[in-house]
Amino acid sequence: MEQTFIILKPSTIQRGLVGDVLTRFQRKGLIIAGIKMMRLSEEILKEHYAHLVERPFFPSLLKSMMATPVIVAVLRGKDVVNVVRAMTGATNCRVAAPGTIRGDFGMSGQENIIHASDSPENAEIEVKRFFSPDEIFDYVPLTLPATYAPDEL
Ligand code: IDP
Ligand code: MG
C-alpha cells in the first residue's frame, strides 16, 4: 500500500494539537506505519525545503521548524499521498478550506500545522530522509477489511 510522510510542526506541538491532527488520520482509516519525535537540523531542513532556500522567508521558516522538536510519521493507505494532501489543505491556513487541517486549526501561512508529501516520488524520498527502515512497521490492522472493499486492497 502507498505511503506518505508528515511532519507535525513546532506550532502544533506548542499549541497542543498533536492528538487532534493524528486523530483525523486515524478516523479516516489511515495506518500509522511509523512515528517518532525528533529535532530537525538546519542540514535536513535545507534538504527537505530545497525548493525554498532562496526565498526571503526561508530564515524565518528554518527558525520556526527548529523551535521545538517535531513529530514525524509515515502514514499508509490507498492513494494516501493525495488523500493526506487533500486533508491538509492550502498552504496558507487563512485560505485553506474549512474542514481541512490547516483550515480548521491555523491562522498562518508559515505556522501551518503540518507538512505532507506532495507526490508519491517525494513521499518515498522523504520517508527515507527521516526514517531508518527499522523504524517503519508492516502490520495488518484488524479494521482493514471493514475499511476497504476486497478489490481495493
Ligand atoms: P506546502 O507545505 O503546502 O507543500 P510549500 O510551498 O512546499 O507548501 O512550502 C513549505 C512551507 O514553507 C509551508 O508549509 C510554509 O510553512 C512555508 N511557506 C511557504 N510559503 C511561505 C510564505 O510565503 N511565507 C512564509 N512561509 C511560507
Ligand atoms: Mg511542499
Side-chain angles (χ1 to χ4, degrees), residues 9 49 51-52 55 57 61 85 89-91 102 109-112 114-116 118:
K9 296 185 177 187
Y49 283 141
H51 60 298
L52 299 173
R55 302 292 291 274
F57 59 83
L61 178 62
R85 282 290 282 195
T91 302
R102 287 169 171 167
Q110 177 179 279
E111 306 302 329
N112 61 356
I114 185 169
H115 163 80
D118 61 9

Side-chain angles (χ1 to χ4, degrees), residues 3 15 20-21 43 74-75 82-83 86 90 105 112-114 125-126 128 132-133 145 151-153:
Q3 291 190 156
R15 294 178 55 218
D20 290 285
V21 176
E43 191 189 357
V74 179
L75 302 176
N82 285 335
V83 167
F105 293 134
N112 61 356
I113 313 293
I114 185 169
I125 292 167
E126 291 174 4
K128 285 201 184 99
S132 59
D151 68 348
E152 293 172 316
L153 288 170

